[in-house]
Amino acid sequence: MRLISWNVNGLRAIVKKDFYASVEALSPDVLCLQETKMQKGQCDIELPGYTQLYNSADRKGYSGTAVFARVPMLSNTMGIGVDLHDHEGRVITCEFDDFFLVNCYTPNSQNELRRLSYRMQWEDDFREYLVGLNAQKPVVLCGDLNVAHEEIDLKNPKTNHHNAGFTDEERSKFTELLEAGFIDSFRHFYPDLTGAYSWWSYIGGARARNAGWRIDYFVVADQLKDRMADPKIHSSIMGSDHCPVELTIIPKEA
């Protein structure tokens, strides 16, 4: 199953660019989007053959996730069942035959880390949610997780230390998630690859200089380790300040 995750930074905006051509070229079985910034019905997305799911924030024009699937799913749920977190449209969970796919847009700790304490609560509650799912069947988590885990995952680690997305606290929570039974799929295949980024600031020509961060992930349950294949970062695909990331889950042997 070919999975694509992409923070589109506004779904209504990106469809006016090369979004449809990019999706056609990527040909995902499941496309997970973050930061859609729209309510369902505000924009008609023309992807024939795909079931469309939306989880929108209560606040219009903010956050939001979507899933487009051309393979059958058993069920889907919105949010994580914690009222504190479930008003910003940040999570969609899709159940397939032998795994859960969780599409997530993690809260940003924001300038001056004014939302860091909330982010820490989110991390603990979200990890508990994932571990609970994983006890039922293996989990594939994808999305913009708003953290560069290690120094190799961003261009300028020293000048960004203690900034949102590269604080010790956020990085430690990501480590806790991995220690709870999960794998950073990209680093599993490419442990030492430098210059592999999925987000670039719009400021200062960062993308042209590849001064970026890797904050978009597929984090996969240990049980699926041998079924992961072809992780990719599609840095040449434009339209957002993020690019799509990809992972294939090989079908389970009969």
Side-chain angles (χ1 to χ4, degrees):
M1 189 183 296
R2 190 177 193 184
L3 309 175
I4 298 289
S5 176
W6 193 2
N7 179 319
V8 292
N9 194 8
L11 185 51
R12 288 173 292 175
I14 203 170
V15 296
K16 299 174 183 177
K17 303 174 185 179
D18 292 325
F19 175 73
Y20 291 119
S22 297
V23 173
E24 182 178 3
L26 292 167
S27 190
D29 293 309
V30 185
L31 173 64
C32 294
L33 305 180
Q34 305 88 41
E35 204 170 0
T36 54
K37 296 183 177 179
M38 60 171 271
Q39 311 299 119
K40 184 177 180 180
Q42 283 189 301
C43 180
D44 292 327
I45 305 301
E46 299 175 1
L47 288 175
Y50 285 85
T51 299
Q52 302 188 14
L53 302 174
Y54 296 89
N55 190 9
S56 302
D58 293 352
R59 173 181 160 193
K60 291 184 178 180
Y62 176 72
S63 186
T65 47
V67 172
F68 302 85
R70 65 181 181 190
V71 292
M73 64 182 74
L74 301 180
S75 66
N76 64 81
T77 57
M78 307 294 163
I80 64 172
V82 178
D83 186 68
L84 175 65
H85 305 305
D86 284 350
H87 294 274
E88 296 186 353
R90 294 190 177 275
V91 176
I92 300 175
T93 300
C94 300
E95 181 182 4
F96 296 98
D97 285 338
D98 55 352
F99 67 92
F100 288 107
L101 176 62
V102 180
N103 177 25
C104 176
Y105 178 37
T106 297
N108 192 302
S109 295
Q110 299 186 349
N111 293 336
E112 301 180 354
L113 304 180
R114 61 182 182 270
R115 218 181 183 200
L116 181 61
S117 61
Y118 169 71
R119 169 72 177 265
M120 294 298 97
Q121 184 64 55
W122 162 275
E123 292 285 354
D124 290 340
D125 292 342
F126 186 54
R127 186 177 62 255
E128 182 179 351
Y129 173 74
L130 294 174
V131 169
L133 284 181
N134 204 43
Q136 301 173 50
K137 62 175 68 173
V139 167
V140 175
L141 164 66
C142 71
D144 175 2
L145 303 188
N146 262 317
V147 61
H149 185 215
E150 302 290 356
E151 291 192 355
I152 194 175
D153 294 315
L154 72 166
K155 178 69 173 180
N156 298 305
K158 289 183 172 57
T159 57
N160 282 293
H161 191 207
H162 303 306
N163 287 340
F166 198 58
T167 63
D168 294 338
E169 294 91 337
E170 292 163 314
R171 295 167 66 194
S172 293
K173 292 298 183 184
F174 192 90
T175 298
E176 286 185 50
L177 176 60
L178 299 183
E179 290 174 347
F182 296 90
I183 299 165
D184 177 349
S185 62
F186 188 82
R187 283 292 168 226
H188 175 78
F189 286 91
Y190 304 110
D192 303 314
L193 182 64
T194 61
Y197 308 127
S198 64
W199 174 80
W200 305 261
S201 171
Y202 281 132
I203 300 171
R207 191 159 187 169
R209 296 183 290 109
N210 197 30
W213 300 47
R214 189 177 71 93
I215 60 176
D216 300 89
Y217 294 84
F218 279 94
V219 175
V220 179
D222 289 342
Q223 305 97 296
L224 296 175
K225 179 179 179 179
D226 296 332
R227 294 173 56 194
M228 302 186 302
D230 299 327
K232 295 183 177 73
I233 299 177
H234 293 281
S235 56
S236 64
I237 294 181
M238 310 299 284
S240 170
D241 51 350
H242 296 248
C243 72
V245 296
E246 176 179 345
L247 185 69
T248 293
I249 299 296
I250 300 168
K252 186 177 181 179
E253 294 183 4

